[in-house]
Amino acid sequence: MTNLRIPGPTPCPPEVLSAMGRQMMNHRGGEFMKTVLSVTEKLKRMFQTDNDVFLLTGSGTGGLEAAVVNSFSPGDKVLSVSIGVFGDRLANIAKTFGADVTVLKSEWGKPADPQAIKASLDNDPSIKAVMVTHNETSTGVTNDLETIAKTVKPYNKLLLVDAISSIGSINLPVDDWGIDVMVTGSQKSWMVPPGLAMVAISEKGWQANANAKMPRFYWDFARAKKSLANGGQTPWTPAVSVILALDVALDMMLSEGLENIIARHIKLGRMTREGVKALGLKLFADEAYASNTVTAVLGSDGLDAKALNKIMREEYDIVLSGGQMELEGKIFRIGHLGWVNEREVEDVLVALKTALPKAGFGGGN
Amino acid sequence: MTNLRIPGPTPCPPEVLSAMGRQMMNHRGGEFMKTVLSVTEKLKRMFQTDNDVFLLTGSGTGGLEAAVVNSFSPGDKVLSVSIGVFGDRLANIAKTFGADVTVLKSEWGKPADPQAIKASLDNDPSIKAVMVTHNETSTGVTNDLETIAKTVKPYNKLLLVDAISSIGSINLPVDDWGIDVMVTGSQKSWMVPPGLAMVAISEKGWQANANAKMPRFYWDFARAKKSLANGGQTPWTPAVSVILALDVALDMMLSEGLENIIARHIKLGRMTREGVKALGLKLFADEAYASNTVTAVLGSDGLDAKALNKIMREEYDIVLSGGQMELEGKIFRIGHLGWVNEREVEDVLVALKTALPKAGFGGGN
């Protein structure tokens, strides 16, 4: 089987794929409604939250758009912390819908600086909200969200977090850290195919929602809340198969235990980083903040990162990711989140050893 | 197996479910990109169009929101023709995003009157666009879209059509009839699970798009066009499984042939209507415009429509739909679109014969 080592979609366990292949049922019927309620409750446990949790049919980016339009009015001042492609995307969504966005950027490969966030908030008390990416898939960096959340807390701002590629693999206790709007996507830690965004909204998030004037219909959290309260429904026909699959995946995750899952990702992240360094490669990310779900590797010493990915795919049946936007051709990325074990990471490292020289590595550059 | 006779999600053929259960692949890789291109081309054949066609990850309602925000600016005058729940929904989406919407309503159960549309356009030359539902699932009525399109054509307005529960089962030649923005959903005629909206945009639709100022990011057609042109990509991670399943379903549909599919639905629609009338039931819809994808039946002569659906489900393993909004409890609906044959409709009629008296029918009312 292909070793799909991209940062999502991740491979799915057979039990999950089997649920994906189930025959359709009435999305307004008792069995499905019970499943929606059950999935919602299990997600709350994985999110470590008592907040409202909703299933939205769409990609992670749809979930981000939902978070923005449910929280802000045009003209609202928002501090958008960006450390890569997905941080920029979040800022762009807010700008598109009319927010007055200040983007606080870090050099790519580096995390956000909590002190710089503090300085921005001190500098402009009219800022209403802080938006931040927990794990930046494009650079392989995990922000220190706990410290960022603690830094923001005294200012009483709304805290909106893109946790698409973190929560469920990397620790993110939503309530303890006071995250007001959190977004994730089915095809990441959750071991199911793409098609579903999952969001959690705090009481403060609901207060913002009540005043938020950005136009919303499909993504409206208030409609989602009303439908869920109506026995476990969704306002619109949902991605039935993905929800059935998520139900199965969540049982597997609860059986493994959140702490064990997080520990597995810590171990796999470390193993990947140690492995690529032992091959003489350089990490793109600041190692102190390197992600445990995706490792970005610099195309140093003659390495043609695009050629490498082609060789890995064609000769070893291992699928890696390239760089995005300005990092295209400059890095390659190894995904190690969701349904993944040491053997699969080991296979990547073994293949890299023979593939790297074929892709120019060691030729000097 | 449960006889799922609701107007979507419809049952899926085993080949389609098997594709739903396929292991994940790289959504930026060659195999998947080829599939996106192939699905897009096959859809064009089924839509009878050379217009641009895009796959959007979301429900049908998401596709409707996409159609609206890609076509209009706040303040644009729009004539929204509504003959039921879904027509009202389309009008509400446009209102939510700031359009100046005039709703032209028909009595529920009746189709839209092309002459009334003509009168509205004559009455207010500042109207920029006409929005209409082709097949109204809530009342079981199919509008005479050909005549409506011909009526609108001389006025040179943008014509936006909700074809979610029609196209692919009911004839809708997008180019011949001059539909500028057409929306459908995977869980209807297409025999695949929900999670994907499919849209077609004409040259005039693109002209409107270029001037449309409603905010859009996730649903942006221009981004979809750019990504598709980039080898068959989507701007955001798509519902991979549903696209793989749609590829298989479209092959089956092309093999049956669009004309044969349409003829099958005409036959099944007629069979359902004749069958329920033979049982002494009354159709809710004006029979001259009764839908060939869903039949709405009035709860006359003592019939408790909710009790009937419960009996059908629990005693006969047949799942029907109830009425929506103000029709709740007053009608029941039989879905006969997508993967359905005469035997399955016959089974419904046979079961109804014994179930109806148990649900009060014939008790006089």
Side-chain angles (χ1 to χ4, degrees), chain B residues 23 43 96 141 184 189 215 242 246 272 282 298:
Chain B
Q23 187 51 278
L43 280 175
T96 298
V141 171
T184 184
S189 311
V242 184
L246 182 56
T272 308
K282 289 186 177 66
L298 202 61

Side-chain angles (χ1 to χ4, degrees), chain A residues 196-217:
Chain A
L196 208 61
M198 298 92 91
V199 295
I201 302 98
S202 74
E203 189 48 46
K204 193 158 57 163
W206 281 116
Q207 288 163 19
N209 181 277
N211 297 312
K213 298 274 184 293
M214 284 183 183
R216 55 188 177 272
F217 190 93

